[in-house]
Amino acid sequence: QVLQILGTVFTVIFLLEVVVKVVALGAFCNYGDGRKAYLRSFENVLDFVIVIVSVLDSIQTWFLESSGGGVIAVMRIFRVVRMLRPLRLISRSKNLKVVVKTILAAIPELRNLLVFSSLFFLIFGLLAVGNLKGSYHSCKDNTLEDYSFTRTPEITPMCIGETAISGSSETLKTMAQQASGVCPTGWEAWQRSSRDTPICEVHCEASSHASCQTSPWGYQVMRCTDCSVAHCPQNLEDQSRRESCESRCSRHEYFCKAGGTECLEQCVAACLCETSCYGLIEDAALCTEQGGKWVNLNQNFDNLLVGTIALFEISTTEGWVDVMLAAVDSRGPYLQPKRDANEFIGSMLFVAFMLIGSFFVLNLCVGVIIDNYNEQKKESDIHFVLVTDVQAAWMTQMKAIYLRRTFFSHVNVDRLGPSRQHR
């Protein structure tokens, strides 16, 4: 209540100030003696808008608080404009005027600099995506700590069986690692035909299966054929989609390089349900088969958009060393990172980006602003900015002292007459 009263008192004072200025200067028409009308000045227009919004807010606070809907609901939005009240100080301080004019004058040049710097981000983004795509994953446990898995044998023997879903009559074919080489009763023994045969990590964002409706639904890894049947049954009969997936899998960059009927079958199944079934091979498959999770870093370079955002984040020098070290340890897609495995490219790429894309561009921005600041300072009617009158007088005196080379003339006494030598 006290703040409302104080706000209303200041609003009344500011309103009286506006009325006095309008009477003295006129609202729109300039006087013949060179005085500008009140609303012909940007600072006065800003003051006028803030005062009008404050008056409307005070009316709504004291007289229309109990009303709701319609125009009154819209008027409540204007309360946000009250944050602009400190801007009234601009019209009362020549120093602040120069600073604001500097920022406004620098906007066109900063716009050109933004385009220039975007090219740097695009170039480094393309380089990072080309060299580090899919390389920021690693094997983690449930607490996101490093998880160790064995690479012998190269393919983990698994057991596949029907699992009931809590709260539903449906079942789901899940996968578990064989214990002592034996599967439980009713479970099927299965293993991938090769290291580049995919198994599928389930993503529930685009699935309506009952297993995805439980909260939390958990982390699931399935055989890709079972995953597509459970989460995308509508795509299995789409012949054109299947032909497209068969074509993609026959020339896939990572999957089924050695061919094989079973490998291609799993790859096609993952492709038919790529929104919910994400294929994993190599170390990623071993990690998930043995109970780990294949986790990606928040900053990664899996595509150009995410990579550019990651570059923008590290351009602030916040956490860029961690991103660089992850690149230094990366070995490629679906492979567990190893210390200093990619030392040259991982380090040089980010060091070059920090030198060119961060420090260089930042200094250009600072240079543009300082240049505009000096121009605005020359155009203004004050010679010193951001100092008090006493400080400005002292600086003027110091300049006068430094510009004057001598304060007393030098005289060779031996050349003066006797009468002048004794003075």
Side-chain angles (χ1 to χ4, degrees):
Q1 189 72 16
V2 174
L3 294 178
Q4 291 179 353
I5 295 174
L6 290 176
T8 304
V9 170
F10 283 113
T11 299
V12 172
I13 294 173
F14 294 150
L15 181 61
L16 292 176
E17 179 191 15
V18 169
V19 172
V20 171
K21 285 187 175 181
V22 169
V23 172
L25 302 176
F28 300 100
C29 299
N30 295 331
Y31 282 94
D33 56 0
R35 287 182 297 171
K36 274 188 176 182
Y38 180 72
L39 295 178
R40 293 295 183 94
S41 172
F42 171 76
E43 294 85 1
N44 291 336
V45 171
L46 182 62
D47 285 352
F48 181 77
V49 172
I50 295 174
V51 169
I52 294 300
V53 171
S54 299
V55 169
L56 294 176
D57 177 62
S58 297
I59 293 174
Q60 191 270 331
T61 300
W62 293 103
F63 302 104
L64 304 175
E65 185 67 31
S66 59
S67 302
V71 179
I72 305 305
V74 176
M75 289 177 61
R76 290 194 178 97
I77 301 176
F78 288 103
R79 289 184 171 182
V80 181
V81 187
R82 291 185 298 180
M83 294 186 298
L84 299 177
R85 285 178 178 176
L87 296 180
R88 289 174 52 86
L89 296 173
I90 295 175
S91 60
R92 290 161 175 77
S93 173
K94 293 182 179 181
N95 295 329
L96 286 178
K97 283 184 181 180
V98 174
V99 173
V100 172
K101 288 181 179 179
T102 298
I103 296 174
L104 295 177
I107 290 177
E109 297 181 28
L110 290 176
R111 183 178 62 244
N112 297 332
L113 184 59
L114 177 64
V115 176
F116 177 72
S117 60
S118 298
L119 294 177
F120 279 107
F121 279 83
L122 179 62
I123 293 171
F124 279 97
L126 292 172
L127 289 173
V129 171
N131 290 279
L132 301 172
K133 181 180 179 180
S135 300
Y136 273 51
H137 291 75
S138 60
C139 192
K140 303 291 184 181
D141 60 13
N142 291 330
T143 60
L144 297 182
E145 297 294 333
D146 291 337
Y147 184 82
S148 299
F149 60 92
T150 61
R151 292 185 173 87
T152 53
E154 292 185 349
I155 301 171
T156 307
M158 305 297 294
C159 297
I160 298 176
E162 297 283 348
T163 302
I165 301 173
S166 60
S168 174
S169 59
E170 298 184 40
T171 59
L172 186 69
K173 282 191 175 182
T174 56
M175 181 182 294
Q177 186 178 1
Q178 288 186 10
S180 302
V182 179
C183 290
T185 304
W187 286 58
E188 170 193 358
W190 179 85
Q191 67 179 27
R192 294 177 293 125
S193 59
S194 61
R195 284 180 58 87
D196 56 2
T197 298
I199 62 170
C200 283
E201 178 187 61
V202 180
H203 291 186
C204 272
E205 292 84 359
S207 177
S208 58
H209 193 269
S211 62
C212 289
Q213 307 307 314
T214 59
S215 179
W217 64 270
Y219 184 86
Q220 297 176 358
V221 180
M222 303 174 62
R223 187 167 54 183
C224 292
T225 50
D226 298 332
C227 181
S228 60
V229 169
H231 296 278
C232 300
Q234 69 280 3
N235 295 339
L236 300 180
E237 304 300 327
D238 191 340
Q239 193 61 31
S240 61
R241 183 190 287 265
R242 179 174 290 274
E243 292 176 356
S244 175
C245 287
E246 290 176 352
S247 176
R248 286 175 55 185
C249 289
S250 63
R251 49 186 173 82
H252 200 280
E253 185 178 4
Y254 305 108
F255 297 171
C256 305
K257 291 183 179 180
T261 304
E262 183 181 351
C263 180
L264 290 174
E265 181 184 5
Q266 299 298 325
C267 179
V268 170
C271 176
L272 289 173
C273 191
E274 57 186 351
T275 57
S276 298
C277 304
Y278 182 72
L280 300 175
I281 60 172
E282 300 287 350
D283 292 347
L286 289 174
C287 169
T288 54
E289 286 173 341
Q290 297 177 26
K293 295 183 179 182
W294 195 242
V295 181
N296 198 6
L297 285 181
N298 291 329
Q299 293 92 354
N300 59 76
F301 300 94
D302 290 348
N303 57 66
L304 184 58
L305 177 61
V306 176
T308 305
I309 294 175
L311 289 177
F312 178 76
E313 290 179 2
I314 67 177
S315 67
T316 63
T317 67
E318 182 67 28
W320 76 276
V321 176
D322 297 332
V323 180
M324 181 187 69
L325 292 179
V328 168
D329 296 340
S330 65
R331 295 170 55 219
Y334 306 107
L335 296 176
Q336 177 73 358
K338 183 179 179 181
R339 185 177 179 87
D340 298 337
N342 189 25
E343 189 172 4
F344 179 76
I345 295 179
S347 59
M348 293 304 298
L349 178 65
F350 288 95
V351 170
F353 172 74
M354 293 302 296
L355 291 176
I356 299 175
S358 180
F359 299 134
F360 178 68
V361 173
L362 178 62
N363 289 332
L364 282 179
C365 292
V366 174
V368 167
I369 294 175
I370 291 177
D371 185 53
N372 282 274
Y373 171 79
N374 291 329
E375 291 182 3
Q376 294 297 324
K377 180 179 174 182
K378 291 178 182 178
E379 295 176 0
S380 64
D381 56 349
I382 56 177
H383 301 287
F384 301 100
V385 183
L386 301 180
V387 295
T388 63
D389 294 338
V390 176
Q391 292 171 334
W394 182 83
M395 293 171 66
T396 302
Q397 294 174 2
M398 291 298 102
K399 282 186 177 182
I401 292 174
Y402 291 139
L403 289 175
R404 186 167 181 176
R405 300 194 177 188
T406 58
F407 293 92
F408 304 97
S409 59
H410 299 282
V411 179
N412 192 339
V413 180
D414 295 336
R415 296 182 180 181
L416 297 178
S419 59
R420 295 186 61 188
Q421 288 182 3
H422 296 286
R423 290 183 181 178

